Amino acid sequence: MAVIVIVVVVLVAVGGSDDSTTPAPSAAATSKASPGQAQEEPASERADLISFRLDDRSQAGLTDVWVVWTVRNSSGERSDYSWEWEAVDAGGTRVANGSELETDVQPGQTARGEDFTTLKGVKGVKLNITRFNRTASY
C-alpha cells in the first residue's frame, strides 16, 4: 500500500500583502532625490518594485512584447518578491495578465528581470499591479 504525502507550503508575507490595484511604477516616476535633498524611506514593501513596464521588441512584422522590472530590497533581510499584474487597454478591457517572481534579493540589492507576454502591441495599454508580496527568503 502506497502512502502519498502531500506537503503544502504557505508563505506568510512579511508585513502582510497588498491586494489593491495600482498603476505599475515607471523608471521616470521613481527618480532619485536631487543632491542635498533627503530621500524618503519607502512607505510600503510595494515601493521595492522600482519599475515595471512594457518593452515592445517587435520587428519585421513579428510581435514580441515583454514586461521588464527592477526590484530593490529596502528591508534588512534577504527577500523573495511575487506580484500579479494586468494590462488594460484604453477602453478599460483587460488584455493580458500574469505573475512574476524574483527570489533571494539581498538587503540593499537591486534585481532586474523580464518575461514575455501575449500582448499584440503596447499602444494605449496601461499596466496595473493587482497583488504584491515580499516574503523572507530561507
Side-chain angles (χ1 to χ4, degrees):
M1 182 168 150
V3 176
I4 299 174
V5 177
I6 300 174
V7 178
V8 177
V9 177
V10 177
L11 297 176
V12 178
V14 175
S17 66
D18 188 347
D19 295 336
S20 60
T21 300
T22 59
S26 66
T30 58
S31 62
K32 301 282 185 206
S34 60
Q37 178 183 4
Q39 190 165 357
E40 294 181 26
E41 290 296 315
S44 72
E45 63 189 30
R46 186 178 286 192
D48 285 2
L49 183 61
I50 295 172
S51 71
F52 188 66
R53 64 181 177 81
L54 294 172
D55 185 15
D56 190 352
R57 302 174 186 177
S58 301
Q59 59 182 336
L62 298 174
T63 302
D64 190 20
V65 178
W66 292 67
V67 288
V68 179
W69 64 84
T70 303
V71 173
R72 179 165 172 79
N73 185 350
S74 65
S75 77
E77 60 188 352
R78 186 174 66 184
S79 298
D80 296 335
Y81 295 89
S82 63
W83 65 97
E84 296 174 10
W85 58 271
E86 66 181 3
V88 180
D89 68 14
T93 301
R94 184 168 72 179
V95 292
N97 66 319
S99 299
E100 305 304 332
L101 178 66
E102 192 67 51
T103 61
D104 292 325
V105 183
Q106 299 296 324
Q109 186 178 47
T110 299
R112 292 180 176 86
E114 58 186 31
D115 200 3
F116 65 91
T117 73
T118 58
L119 288 169
K120 303 298 181 206
V122 298
K123 188 170 181 110
V125 174
K126 177 182 167 189
L127 282 177
N128 293 319
I129 305 300
T130 57
R131 169 175 248 136
F132 188 88
N133 290 303
R134 180 179 69 207
T135 58
S137 295
Y138 296 102

